[in-house]
Amino acid sequence: MTTTTLERPVTVQPNSPLFLIALPVHLLHCVAQVVSTDPVKVSINKISLYREDSAGSGEITLAATDGHRLLRIVLPAGSTQIGELEPGQRLIIDPAAFKKRPLTNEKTIELFADGTAEIVNSSSREIKKVFWKTTDTKFEFPNYDQLFPDNFHNKPEAPFAFNPSYLLDFLKLAKQYGSNLVVKWRMNAATTPMVQTFHVDSKWLPLEGEVTVEHLLMPVQIRT
């Protein structure tokens, strides 16, 4: 780890917690907005952080869903600082610490194996400590990749309907973090998932790389 990457020097102390990964903290805030708030739905009231299962791969995927909408963010190699997070390893993250939007100067979060995390303020050098690990880990996170259509023809051929609060939540994120205030909307039939995307402005990304936020929204079924 370098001071450029994490905005502060890192000294490994004896018995210090194992460093797993550092990534843009505002992206965790984005996915935290769509987790389920139902305490019974254990498998979808958390955030998934997954490292691609191939040797040497540095691709990281953040995902969360409440069963009606899903947010997926793929961070390409080089856009995060990977420590001891193994290929194919998934972290199940408690969203509580990330519901509130971080300060503008809080760019990077470091996750450690003991369940602690540190958010670094690039201006004041203040370090905020939070907890990311959840005790509910004995479940399988939904296979979110299979929900995204392989292609879109963008001809719904019928009126489509959606929950306005879900769309409003996503548009707020796009306005705050988007690079050009443009949201792309792709669809097929009026009864299949719709996907909205925006590119993250580089000022929210401490490292290099182009990052896209994908929002999959299930349409409301209209009875005729």
PDB file of all heavy atoms in Angstrom, residues 167-185:
ATOM      1  N   LEU A 167     -37.034   4.647  -8.330  1.00  0.00           N
ATOM      2  CA  LEU A 167     -36.340   5.392  -9.380  1.00  0.00           C
ATOM      3  C   LEU A 167     -35.764   6.693  -8.836  1.00  0.00           C
ATOM      4  O   LEU A 167     -34.643   7.090  -9.193  1.00  0.00           O
ATOM      5  CB  LEU A 167     -37.303   5.675 -10.535  1.00  0.00           C
ATOM      6  CG  LEU A 167     -36.680   6.295 -11.785  1.00  0.00           C
ATOM      7  CD1 LEU A 167     -35.564   5.423 -12.334  1.00  0.00           C
ATOM      8  CD2 LEU A 167     -37.734   6.530 -12.852  1.00  0.00           C
ATOM      9  N   LEU A 168     -36.494   7.351  -7.957  1.00  0.00           N
ATOM     10  CA  LEU A 168     -36.013   8.599  -7.378  1.00  0.00           C
ATOM     11  C   LEU A 168     -34.738   8.368  -6.571  1.00  0.00           C
ATOM     12  O   LEU A 168     -33.789   9.159  -6.648  1.00  0.00           O
ATOM     13  CB  LEU A 168     -37.093   9.218  -6.487  1.00  0.00           C
ATOM     14  CG  LEU A 168     -36.741  10.555  -5.823  1.00  0.00           C
ATOM     15  CD1 LEU A 168     -36.422  11.617  -6.866  1.00  0.00           C
ATOM     16  CD2 LEU A 168     -37.904  11.013  -4.933  1.00  0.00           C
ATOM     17  N   ASP A 169     -34.689   7.283  -5.809  1.00  0.00           N
ATOM     18  CA  ASP A 169     -33.487   6.963  -5.037  1.00  0.00           C
ATOM     19  C   ASP A 169     -32.273   6.832  -5.947  1.00  0.00           C
ATOM     20  O   ASP A 169     -31.183   7.332  -5.651  1.00  0.00           O
ATOM     21  CB  ASP A 169     -33.677   5.662  -4.253  1.00  0.00           C
ATOM     22  CG  ASP A 169     -34.641   5.803  -3.092  1.00  0.00           C
ATOM     23  OD1 ASP A 169     -34.930   6.942  -2.689  1.00  0.00           O
ATOM     24  OD2 ASP A 169     -35.111   4.761  -2.592  1.00  0.00           O
ATOM     25  N   PHE A 170     -32.464   6.146  -7.080  1.00  0.00           N
ATOM     26  CA  PHE A 170     -31.352   5.946  -8.008  1.00  0.00           C
ATOM     27  C   PHE A 170     -30.934   7.257  -8.667  1.00  0.00           C
ATOM     28  O   PHE A 170     -29.744   7.546  -8.817  1.00  0.00           O
ATOM     29  CB  PHE A 170     -31.721   4.928  -9.078  1.00  0.00           C
ATOM     30  CG  PHE A 170     -30.657   4.729 -10.116  1.00  0.00           C
ATOM     31  CD1 PHE A 170     -29.493   4.031  -9.814  1.00  0.00           C
ATOM     32  CD2 PHE A 170     -30.807   5.258 -11.387  1.00  0.00           C
ATOM     33  CE1 PHE A 170     -28.499   3.862 -10.761  1.00  0.00           C
ATOM     34  CE2 PHE A 170     -29.819   5.084 -12.349  1.00  0.00           C
ATOM     35  CZ  PHE A 170     -28.661   4.385 -12.038  1.00  0.00           C
ATOM     36  N   LEU A 171     -31.906   8.068  -9.061  1.00  0.00           N
ATOM     37  CA  LEU A 171     -31.584   9.337  -9.716  1.00  0.00           C
ATOM     38  C   LEU A 171     -30.842  10.284  -8.773  1.00  0.00           C
ATOM     39  O   LEU A 171     -30.000  11.073  -9.209  1.00  0.00           O
ATOM     40  CB  LEU A 171     -32.858   9.989 -10.241  1.00  0.00           C
ATOM     41  CG  LEU A 171     -33.560   9.245 -11.389  1.00  0.00           C
ATOM     42  CD1 LEU A 171     -34.839   9.964 -11.793  1.00  0.00           C
ATOM     43  CD2 LEU A 171     -32.621   9.098 -12.579  1.00  0.00           C
ATOM     44  N   LYS A 172     -31.141  10.208  -7.485  1.00  0.00           N
ATOM     45  CA  LYS A 172     -30.396  11.011  -6.513  1.00  0.00           C
ATOM     46  C   LYS A 172     -28.926  10.599  -6.490  1.00  0.00           C
ATOM     47  O   LYS A 172     -28.029  11.451  -6.419  1.00  0.00           O
ATOM     48  CB  LYS A 172     -31.006  10.865  -5.124  1.00  0.00           C
ATOM     49  CG  LYS A 172     -32.331  11.588  -4.930  1.00  0.00           C
ATOM     50  CD  LYS A 172     -32.859  11.378  -3.513  1.00  0.00           C
ATOM     51  CE  LYS A 172     -34.154  12.129  -3.283  1.00  0.00           C
ATOM     52  NZ  LYS A 172     -34.696  11.883  -1.912  1.00  0.00           N
ATOM     53  N   LEU A 173     -28.681   9.290  -6.547  1.00  0.00           N
ATOM     54  CA  LEU A 173     -27.301   8.810  -6.588  1.00  0.00           C
ATOM     55  C   LEU A 173     -26.605   9.259  -7.873  1.00  0.00           C
ATOM     56  O   LEU A 173     -25.442   9.672  -7.851  1.00  0.00           O
ATOM     57  CB  LEU A 173     -27.270   7.285  -6.485  1.00  0.00           C
ATOM     58  CG  LEU A 173     -27.729   6.675  -5.169  1.00  0.00           C
ATOM     59  CD1 LEU A 173     -27.730   5.149  -5.259  1.00  0.00           C
ATOM     60  CD2 LEU A 173     -26.855   7.131  -4.006  1.00  0.00           C
ATOM     61  N   ALA A 174     -27.331   9.186  -8.987  1.00  0.00           N
ATOM     62  CA  ALA A 174     -26.755   9.607 -10.263  1.00  0.00           C
ATOM     63  C   ALA A 174     -26.420  11.092 -10.258  1.00  0.00           C
ATOM     64  O   ALA A 174     -25.383  11.508 -10.786  1.00  0.00           O
ATOM     65  CB  ALA A 174     -27.727   9.273 -11.403  1.00  0.00           C
ATOM     66  N   LYS A 175     -27.280  11.886  -9.653  1.00  0.00           N
ATOM     67  CA  LYS A 175     -27.015  13.335  -9.582  1.00  0.00           C
ATOM     68  C   LYS A 175     -25.805  13.627  -8.707  1.00  0.00           C
ATOM     69  O   LYS A 175     -25.012  14.523  -9.021  1.00  0.00           O
ATOM     70  CB  LYS A 175     -28.251  14.052  -9.028  1.00  0.00           C
ATOM     71  CG  LYS A 175     -28.096  15.572  -8.971  1.00  0.00           C
ATOM     72  CD  LYS A 175     -29.364  16.234  -8.456  1.00  0.00           C
ATOM     73  CE  LYS A 175     -29.197  17.748  -8.400  1.00  0.00           C
ATOM     74  NZ  LYS A 175     -30.422  18.418  -7.899  1.00  0.00           N
ATOM     75  N   GLN A 176     -25.644  12.873  -7.624  1.00  0.00           N
ATOM     76  CA  GLN A 176     -24.540  13.108  -6.701  1.00  0.00           C
ATOM     77  C   GLN A 176     -23.210  12.594  -7.237  1.00  0.00           C
ATOM     78  O   GLN A 176     -22.179  13.252  -7.118  1.00  0.00           O
ATOM     79  CB  GLN A 176     -24.835  12.423  -5.357  1.00  0.00           C
ATOM     80  CG  GLN A 176     -23.721  12.536  -4.324  1.00  0.00           C
ATOM     81  CD  GLN A 176     -23.512  13.960  -3.847  1.00  0.00           C
ATOM     82  OE1 GLN A 176     -24.468  14.702  -3.668  1.00  0.00           O
ATOM     83  NE2 GLN A 176     -22.259  14.346  -3.652  1.00  0.00           N
ATOM     84  N   TYR A 177     -23.231  11.412  -7.874  1.00  0.00           N
ATOM     85  CA  TYR A 177     -21.971  10.740  -8.202  1.00  0.00           C
ATOM     86  C   TYR A 177     -21.707  10.593  -9.699  1.00  0.00           C
ATOM     87  O   TYR A 177     -20.619  10.156 -10.084  1.00  0.00           O
ATOM     88  CB  TYR A 177     -21.951   9.346  -7.558  1.00  0.00           C
ATOM     89  CG  TYR A 177     -21.990   9.394  -6.057  1.00  0.00           C
ATOM     90  CD1 TYR A 177     -23.107   8.937  -5.342  1.00  0.00           C
ATOM     91  CD2 TYR A 177     -20.925   9.902  -5.325  1.00  0.00           C
ATOM     92  CE1 TYR A 177     -23.146   8.980  -3.957  1.00  0.00           C
ATOM     93  CE2 TYR A 177     -20.958   9.953  -3.944  1.00  0.00           C
ATOM     94  CZ  TYR A 177     -22.067   9.493  -3.264  1.00  0.00           C
ATOM     95  OH  TYR A 177     -22.098   9.547  -1.884  1.00  0.00           O
ATOM     96  N   GLY A 178     -22.679  10.931 -10.546  1.00  0.00           N
ATOM     97  CA  GLY A 178     -22.500  10.751 -11.983  1.00  0.00           C
ATOM     98  C   GLY A 178     -21.507  11.724 -12.575  1.00  0.00           C
ATOM     99  O   GLY A 178     -21.316  12.840 -12.090  1.00  0.00           O
ATOM    100  N   SER A 179     -20.867  11.310 -13.673  1.00  0.00           N
ATOM    101  CA  SER A 179     -19.825  12.135 -14.297  1.00  0.00           C
ATOM    102  C   SER A 179     -20.382  13.191 -15.240  1.00  0.00           C
ATOM    103  O   SER A 179     -19.767  14.219 -15.464  1.00  0.00           O
ATOM    104  CB  SER A 179     -18.846  11.236 -15.058  1.00  0.00           C
ATOM    105  OG  SER A 179     -19.522  10.522 -16.083  1.00  0.00           O
ATOM    106  N   ASN A 180     -21.554  12.953 -15.838  1.00  0.00           N
ATOM    107  CA  ASN A 180     -22.071  13.903 -16.827  1.00  0.00           C
ATOM    108  C   ASN A 180     -23.575  14.124 -16.698  1.00  0.00           C
ATOM    109  O   ASN A 180     -24.213  14.620 -17.621  1.00  0.00           O
ATOM    110  CB  ASN A 180     -21.740  13.430 -18.248  1.00  0.00           C
ATOM    111  CG  ASN A 180     -22.187  12.003 -18.489  1.00  0.00           C
ATOM    112  OD1 ASN A 180     -22.944  11.439 -17.702  1.00  0.00           O
ATOM    113  ND2 ASN A 180     -21.732  11.415 -19.588  1.00  0.00           N
ATOM    114  N   LEU A 181     -24.149  13.727 -15.554  1.00  0.00           N
ATOM    115  CA  LEU A 181     -25.582  13.891 -15.292  1.00  0.00           C
ATOM    116  C   LEU A 181     -26.442  13.227 -16.349  1.00  0.00           C
ATOM    117  O   LEU A 181     -27.536  13.692 -16.671  1.00  0.00           O
ATOM    118  CB  LEU A 181     -25.935  15.381 -15.169  1.00  0.00           C
ATOM    119  CG  LEU A 181     -25.278  16.126 -13.998  1.00  0.00           C
ATOM    120  CD1 LEU A 181     -25.752  17.578 -13.965  1.00  0.00           C
ATOM    121  CD2 LEU A 181     -25.575  15.438 -12.671  1.00  0.00           C
ATOM    122  N   VAL A 182     -25.945  12.110 -16.891  1.00  0.00           N
ATOM    123  CA  VAL A 182     -26.696  11.342 -17.876  1.00  0.00           C
ATOM    124  C   VAL A 182     -26.964   9.949 -17.322  1.00  0.00           C
ATOM    125  O   VAL A 182     -26.052   9.287 -16.819  1.00  0.00           O
ATOM    126  CB  VAL A 182     -25.928  11.234 -19.208  1.00  0.00           C
ATOM    127  CG1 VAL A 182     -26.629  10.258 -20.151  1.00  0.00           C
ATOM    128  CG2 VAL A 182     -25.816  12.601 -19.865  1.00  0.00           C
ATOM    129  N   VAL A 183     -28.224   9.518 -17.398  1.00  0.00           N
ATOM    130  CA  VAL A 183     -28.602   8.172 -17.002  1.00  0.00           C
ATOM    131  C   VAL A 183     -29.092   7.438 -18.252  1.00  0.00           C
ATOM    132  O   VAL A 183     -29.957   7.937 -18.973  1.00  0.00           O
ATOM    133  CB  VAL A 183     -29.721   8.194 -15.937  1.00  0.00           C
ATOM    134  CG1 VAL A 183     -30.251   6.780 -15.689  1.00  0.00           C
ATOM    135  CG2 VAL A 183     -29.208   8.804 -14.641  1.00  0.00           C
ATOM    136  N   LYS A 184     -28.520   6.267 -18.504  1.00  0.00           N
ATOM    137  CA  LYS A 184     -28.966   5.448 -19.624  1.00  0.00           C
ATOM    138  C   LYS A 184     -30.032   4.464 -19.136  1.00  0.00           C
ATOM    139  O   LYS A 184     -29.917   3.897 -18.054  1.00  0.00           O
ATOM    140  CB  LYS A 184     -27.788   4.675 -20.225  1.00  0.00           C
ATOM    141  CG  LYS A 184     -26.769   5.565 -20.915  1.00  0.00           C
ATOM    142  CD  LYS A 184     -25.668   4.733 -21.557  1.00  0.00           C
ATOM    143  CE  LYS A 184     -24.671   5.613 -22.272  1.00  0.00           C
ATOM    144  NZ  LYS A 184     -23.584   4.814 -22.913  1.00  0.00           N
ATOM    145  N   TRP A 185     -31.041   4.256 -19.941  1.00  0.00           N
ATOM    146  CA  TRP A 185     -32.160   3.386 -19.580  1.00  0.00           C
ATOM    147  C   TRP A 185     -32.305   2.341 -20.681  1.00  0.00           C
ATOM    148  O   TRP A 185     -32.496   2.665 -21.849  1.00  0.00           O
ATOM    149  CB  TRP A 185     -33.437   4.213 -19.472  1.00  0.00           C
ATOM    150  CG  TRP A 185     -34.602   3.498 -18.858  1.00  0.00           C
ATOM    151  CD1 TRP A 185     -35.073   2.259 -19.170  1.00  0.00           C
ATOM    152  CD2 TRP A 185     -35.450   3.990 -17.817  1.00  0.00           C
ATOM    153  NE1 TRP A 185     -36.161   1.942 -18.400  1.00  0.00           N
ATOM    154  CE2 TRP A 185     -36.418   2.986 -17.562  1.00  0.00           C
ATOM    155  CE3 TRP A 185     -35.496   5.171 -17.091  1.00  0.00           C
ATOM    156  CZ2 TRP A 185     -37.420   3.138 -16.610  1.00  0.00           C
ATOM    157  CZ3 TRP A 185     -36.489   5.314 -16.145  1.00  0.00           C
ATOM    158  CH2 TRP A 185     -37.436   4.326 -15.896  1.00  0.00           C
TER     159      TRP A 185
END
